[in-house]
């Protein structure tokens, strides 16, 4: 999804993330290397409310397309990732989520792609090898500012190393079950 209505807010959000990083220099860990990951409470910050609202709607549409029944309640959690030069994300999944996504704020030339890994172990041993849906593969997606990428929470993914001198900024997020959320239900 492209969210062009939010492009004008990106410079302010980048500054807010830089301020958060300066205040809370210890990264939250997880899969980010050579950079910083913030706490999973970013959508609690009123400055990010417009992003949360548009992402909620995109998640709701995707959940309906997946066959999730009307009235299904979910909450949202989000966190910032800043990859410095050389920064990347190791292969991982978003366990305990219902659906996952990432919104991109700054993707300088050479900052690397998000890579989705084929989850079917049997394809590794299947012949013929080559390209196509029946071969083990990784699919890289070049992203740009203002883009929201949604994917199943169980789909293993990684982020290639940032070869740019500038940082790559993104906001990762999950739709989660309300009982797991510290915040109130945000969509139904």
């Amino acid at each position: 999804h492209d969210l062009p209505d939010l492009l004008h807010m990106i410079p302010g959000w980048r500054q807010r993330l830089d301020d958060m990083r300066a205040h809370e220099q210890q990264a939250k860990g997880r899969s980010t290397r050579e950079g910083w990951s913030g706490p999973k409470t970013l959508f609690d910050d009123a400055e990010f409310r417009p992003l949360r609202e548009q992402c909620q709607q995109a998640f709701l549409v995707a959940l309906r397309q997946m066959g999730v029944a009307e009235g299904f309640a979910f909450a949202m959690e989000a966190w910032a990732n800043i990859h410095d030069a050389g920064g990347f994300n190791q292969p991982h999944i978003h366990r305990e989520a219902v659906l996952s996504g990432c919104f991109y704020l700054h993707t300088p030339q050479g900052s690397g792609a998000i890579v989705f890994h084929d989850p079917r172990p049997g394809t590794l041993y299947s012949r013929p090898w080559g390209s196509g849906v029946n071969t083990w593969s990784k699919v890289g997606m070049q992203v740009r500012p203002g883009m929201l990428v949604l994917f199943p929470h169980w789909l293993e993914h990684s982020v290639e190393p940032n070869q740019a001198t500038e940082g790559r900024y993104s906001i990762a997020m999950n739709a989660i079950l309300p009982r797991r959320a510290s915040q109130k239900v945000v969509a139904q």
Side-chain angles (χ1 to χ4, degrees):
H1 301 274
D2 284 312
L3 303 178
D5 297 346
L6 301 178
L7 288 173
H8 72 281
M9 302 189 83
I10 287 176
W13 288 339
R14 283 183 57 200
Q15 182 59 56
R16 178 78 175 116
L17 297 181
D18 286 338
D19 294 345
M20 292 170 72
R21 183 180 188 181
H23 181 262
E24 188 176 329
Q25 294 179 3
Q26 182 64 35
K28 294 299 176 191
R30 299 186 290 274
S31 68
T32 301
R33 301 294 180 266
E34 304 299 326
W36 179 79
S37 271
K40 291 185 175 184
T41 57
L42 190 67
F43 279 164
D44 294 345
D45 187 322
E47 190 168 338
F48 292 94
R49 183 174 297 142
L51 176 61
R52 185 188 74 213
E53 290 171 355
Q54 287 205 24
C55 291
Q56 276 175 217
Q57 288 307 309
F59 273 69
L60 193 59
V61 167
L63 288 167
R64 293 294 174 266
Q65 290 173 342
M66 293 166 56
V68 174
E70 193 77 31
F72 176 79
F74 65 93
M76 298 284 292
E77 64 183 2
W79 62 97
N81 289 308
I82 301 174
H83 292 111
D84 299 328
F88 63 98
N89 280 85
Q90 295 179 318
H92 65 285
I93 63 168
H94 292 202
R95 55 185 215 97
E96 297 184 14
V98 176
L99 186 64
S100 298
C102 193
F103 179 77
Y104 294 89
L105 302 172
H106 188 61
T107 57
Q109 182 77 24
S111 64
I114 184 169
V115 178
F116 298 101
H117 305 259
D118 192 329
R120 302 167 302 161
T123 60
L124 182 59
Y125 304 106
S126 297
R127 291 195 184 254
W129 292 328
S131 61
V133 296
N134 290 320
T135 58
W136 185 81
S137 63
K138 298 176 185 178
V139 176
M141 176 183 275
Q142 293 297 327
V143 294
R144 61 188 171 280
M147 180 183 276
L148 173 64
V149 177
L150 301 181
F151 51 92
H153 71 95
W154 49 260
L155 184 59
E156 187 179 63
H157 57 286
S158 58
V159 179
E160 294 175 336
N162 179 8
Q163 302 299 324
T165 56
E166 299 176 70
R168 173 179 48 219
Y169 289 66
S170 64
I171 297 174
M173 63 195 74
N174 291 321
I176 57 176
L177 297 176
R179 71 175 190 276
R180 200 184 132 236
S182 59
Q183 64 271 55
K184 295 179 182 174
V185 174
V186 294
Q188 291 193 49

